[in-house]
Amino acid sequence: IHSLPTPYKNSLMKKYYHGILFQEKSKDVYPIPYSPVQFIDGEYKIFLVYGCNKIEATSRDLKTWKYTPLSFAPYGTVLEIENKYYAAYCVNSFDHCNYAFSIAEDKKTFKEVFFKPEHHGLDISFFYDKGIFRCYARMKITPCIRTIGYMESKDFVNWSLMEEILVPDNEDGGNVFYSMSVINTEKGYFGFLNTFLPDPDFTSGNTETMDVQLVWSADGITDWKRLNDRKPIIERESYTKNIHACASVIGNEVFIATISTGMYHNFFAVDRENKFYFTELYRIPLTELYKYLL
């Protein structure tokens, strides 16, 4: 158990580590980026990449899971909202993406309702916030520094223009922002910022890692504060080199499902052999999360 000094400046204590939710020895199993855990009609639900397939996983106890195929689900954030499935995702070429949005009113067949023709980066997430769909996405394409952009919609069809809301600065020391999973609380909006430290010698592909930082904004759009002295909010396990966060609020807790792997984050995946993506879960009471604001 890691002690937590005062003021509250540290990574999540081990007592908030729920454990590994999904792991297979021969295939990847992780949240369809960046689909968090939901709690609907007495069941936990999460949408997963399962090897070469996409599935809906449900459970009443976070131990025993039922898997239902989602053959036509897009590769992007998928959520159930008001008895429909919503998806935000990228189409076209790698890292030069057009964003698209689809709805499956029957929870089976996704139909595209909006296509954004401008090129952006690969990663996109959204959540439903009291009548507003809030979308956070990688604003720029490489070789530009990756930044976070924001747009919103009341109907998932008509979207505001994307605006850049979070940009790395000199203090980040080369970090760039892949994506951000956001939650709304009574004390404002917390963003779980998936932060990439690139390898200066990209061809070696041996040192690139991903960590999760915590940021905060009163309105979820402007004036984002970097919390925890910009240190990782999640302490990676010794066997994990690369982690992304998918966060949600369930009851009085924050559930943080991760996309984790023992591989370094590199284009060539030189250490891919016998390593696969898996899903971990952290659960932290909102009252403890608020202490990061002190």
Side-chain angles (χ1 to χ4, degrees), residues 58-279:
T58 56
S59 173
R60 293 191 177 275
D61 58 8
L62 295 173
K63 296 178 182 178
T64 303
W65 292 87
K66 175 185 177 182
Y67 295 153
T68 303
L70 280 176
S71 301
F72 301 103
Y75 185 81
T77 302
V78 182
L79 297 175
E80 179 177 346
I81 301 168
E82 296 178 351
N83 209 35
K84 301 177 184 178
Y85 289 171
Y86 292 76
Y89 53 99
C90 298
V91 294
N92 295 336
S93 61
F94 177 78
D95 224 17
H96 289 67
C97 293
N98 303 109
Y99 292 139
F101 299 81
S102 291
I103 302 174
E105 296 191 6
D106 59 359
K107 297 186 180 181
K108 295 179 181 178
T109 306
F110 284 86
K111 296 182 179 180
E112 185 179 294
V113 294
F114 178 73
F115 178 82
K116 193 174 189 298
E118 297 91 350
H119 278 168
H120 294 290
L122 183 64
D123 295 273
I124 182 170
S125 69
F126 75 94
F127 77 108
Y128 190 59
D129 182 27
K130 299 177 181 178
I132 297 176
F133 294 93
R134 298 185 181 272
C135 180
Y136 300 85
R138 194 190 300 178
M139 182 77 176
K140 295 181 178 179
I141 60 176
T142 54
C144 297
I145 293 176
R146 298 172 175 91
T147 66
I148 301 297
Y150 171 83
M151 57 184 181
E152 65 179 41
S153 172
K154 292 182 178 180
D155 58 9
F156 215 65
V157 177
N158 300 285
W159 289 86
S160 64
L161 295 176
M162 185 176 290
E163 57 181 308
E164 194 170 62
I165 61 170
L166 197 55
V167 179
D169 57 28
N170 291 334
E171 192 176 339
D172 284 308
N175 288 314
V176 293
F177 303 154
Y178 249 56
S179 58
M180 185 166 67
S181 183
V182 179
I183 59 172
N184 185 13
T185 75
E186 63 179 14
K187 293 187 179 293
Y189 294 79
F190 289 84
F192 293 82
L193 183 63
N194 297 316
T195 306
F196 171 51
L197 183 60
D199 184 350
D201 180 12
F202 181 74
T203 57
S204 69
N206 290 326
T207 63
E208 297 177 338
T209 56
M210 293 286 305
D211 279 303
V212 182
Q213 295 183 13
L214 188 66
V215 297
W216 177 88
S217 166
D219 62 6
I221 306 172
T222 61
D223 197 23
W224 287 92
K225 308 294 185 185
R226 309 290 293 278
L227 305 182
N228 198 40
D229 297 326
R230 306 189 187 208
K231 297 176 183 177
I233 193 65
I234 295 177
E235 181 180 345
R236 285 188 278 113
E237 298 296 312
S238 60
Y239 47 77
T240 305
K241 298 183 179 73
N242 182 353
I243 188 170
H244 301 70
C246 310
S248 58
V249 177
I250 298 177
N252 61 0
E253 290 183 297
V254 181
F255 278 55
I256 307 163
T258 70
I259 304 170
S260 301
T261 182
M263 292 180 285
Y264 288 105
H265 188 85
N266 62 83
F267 183 77
F268 300 104
V270 293
D271 59 341
R272 170 72 173 182
E273 186 177 359
N274 296 321
K275 295 185 179 73
F276 298 92
Y277 286 93
F278 58 97
T279 305

